[in-house]
Amino acid sequence: MAEKKKQSIIPDMPGTEKIHAPEPKRAPVTDIDSLIEPPSKNVMDGINAASIEKAVKSANIPMILMIFVLLVFGLIILYSVSGPDAYGQFQDSTWFLNRQIRFTIAGLVVMFIVAFIPIDFFRQKWICYSAYILSFGLAVATHILGVGREHGASRWINIGPIQLQGSEIIKVALIVAFAGYRSTIARLRSEGRIKSPKTHLSKTLINAGVDFIIPVTMCIVVDVIILLQPHLSCFIIVAAVVFMCALVSEISAKSWFTGMTILAVVGIILGVLVLAITPAEKRERFMNNYAHVFKRIAIFNADEEELDNEEEGLTRDDTRQVDNAHNALGSGGMWGVGLGNSRSKYNYVSEAQNDYIFSIYVEETGFVGGVLLILMYMVMFIMCVIVCWRAKDVFSRTIATGCTALIFVEVLMNISVELQVIPATGVTLPFVSYGGTAQVTLLIAYGLILSVSRSGTLSLERKKRQAEKRMLNRGA
């Protein structure tokens, strides 16, 4: 049975068709309308609140708390140690503390900015190129225009009222440049854009050149300029950091061996040629620039008989600072003489707020205080190593490893000097010793580690699968 058609209540007019009423047009939203009727809450949350909330949730809170604890601890130590020297120089016992607080606040601001920027942002070519140009330019500028040779090396650049220590910036800049280069090469190789030669020898040489020789040579050029300042401690730190970066940036063992062999041979040949064509007077003048280095080594190796023999060229006054720093370590005993009660900080140890701050700190807090500070560094080191291990790619892993090596190589060198394990180097204790450029740049390095932790790591399960896949590929 056919379905009965429903009729409209309103009859159609003859000679006309059924007209559908058009939908009313919405007026365009003007600026005034947007003020009267603001965007929906979801849009605002997506732009501001949601993105900020997501960034905060992904932040490594334990690492952030750890750096805050260490910084506060360092400021307390600095105030206790630097009071007499600050009052003697500036008639203000809090002079070093006040400046260090300003440097720390500035460094924390930059650290958080860097930490909440995705780590992939820093792998852009212009950033990596700029980082290397900056490191090279600062090395040359410090060598030519630097001041501070009364301390044995040109380490500072005066820019108006600001005194900048270029070597501290160079360390972080080289890490970014090296990581960017290795990341680019890894990407090009995975895309098949680096052609592999047919012969085995050509393939070995090209891989060694691209993977190892080019990036390491670029870093060696900057490091040699630092050595010519002369700044031996920075030279050693940069060499150690670059070595660690190269170690984790997926360079094959064959490229390592081939590249190191070629660089060693070229370095020996160039060294012999330079010695052959350089006049004796210039060679002697060059070696005199490192007189302070040889003297520190001689002081480290000196025994009681040499100090009593004037013909050896060393006196007890030469070893006074090292001996007093070592005595300060022992005089603290188990619990120390109490904060602020050190005797060694009254000009018995020079630069108590910088190079030898650990000795004064142990004198005041004893063996227990020294172990506590070392344990804090160890906890931070373990946190950083976990970030390095969980890094998702070559760039993130190289950045995290380089910055971790930078911080803890300096910690190791400073404490080793004060324990008389190695000769004096002039390396400060990170986050504790006084120093504006060092404080800010080390906090930037820590911010890069936090950025990797937030946006450049994999979950433990995915990391294990990635490691198993890499092992299978190597086995194949």
Side-chain angles (χ1 to χ4, degrees), residues 171 175 236-246 401-403 405-406 409:
K171 298 170 187 175
I175 294 171
I236 295 172
I237 293 170
V238 169
V241 169
V242 171
F243 173 81
M244 291 302 301
C245 288
T401 304
C403 293
L406 170 60
V409 165

Side-chain angles (χ1 to χ4, degrees), residues 55 98 102 108 171 186 204 222 312 358 400 405 410 463:
N98 292 334
R102 292 197 291 268
L108 284 173
K171 298 170 187 175
T204 301
V222 176
E312 296 292 337
F358 183 75
E410 293 192 1
K463 187 64 183 180

Side-chain angles (χ1 to χ4, degrees), residues 410-468:
E410 293 192 1
V411 171
L412 186 62
M413 290 182 68
N414 178 274
I415 295 178
S416 297
V417 166
E418 304 196 41
L419 294 176
Q420 290 192 344
V421 177
I422 61 175
T425 58
V427 177
T428 57
L429 189 60
F431 309 122
V432 176
S433 295
Y434 172 77
T437 311
Q439 187 82 326
V440 173
T441 52
L442 286 174
L443 285 172
I444 292 174
Y446 198 78
L448 287 170
I449 301 173
L450 289 173
S451 178
V452 174
S453 174
R454 192 183 68 82
S455 60
T457 55
L458 300 174
S459 63
L460 294 177
E461 291 76 11
R462 291 182 63 188
K463 187 64 183 180
K464 289 179 181 178
R465 290 197 298 267
Q466 187 186 71
E468 292 173 357

Side-chain angles (χ1 to χ4, degrees), residues 14-84:
T16 62
E17 296 180 355
K18 190 174 182 179
I19 301 173
H20 297 280
E23 295 182 1
K25 295 182 179 180
R26 295 182 179 180
V29 178
T30 63
D31 293 339
I32 298 177
D33 293 330
S34 65
L35 293 175
I36 298 173
E37 186 179 0
S40 63
K41 185 178 179 181
N42 293 333
V43 175
M44 294 182 67
D45 288 347
I47 296 173
N48 297 318
S51 58
I52 294 174
E53 183 180 0
K54 183 179 178 181
V56 171
K57 286 183 177 180
S58 60
N60 195 324
I61 302 300
M63 289 189 67
I64 294 175
L65 292 177
M66 192 68 232
I67 190 63
F68 269 104
V69 171
L70 189 56
L71 287 172
V72 172
F73 207 72
L75 291 173
I76 295 172
I77 296 170
L78 180 64
Y79 175 64
S80 177
V81 168
S82 64

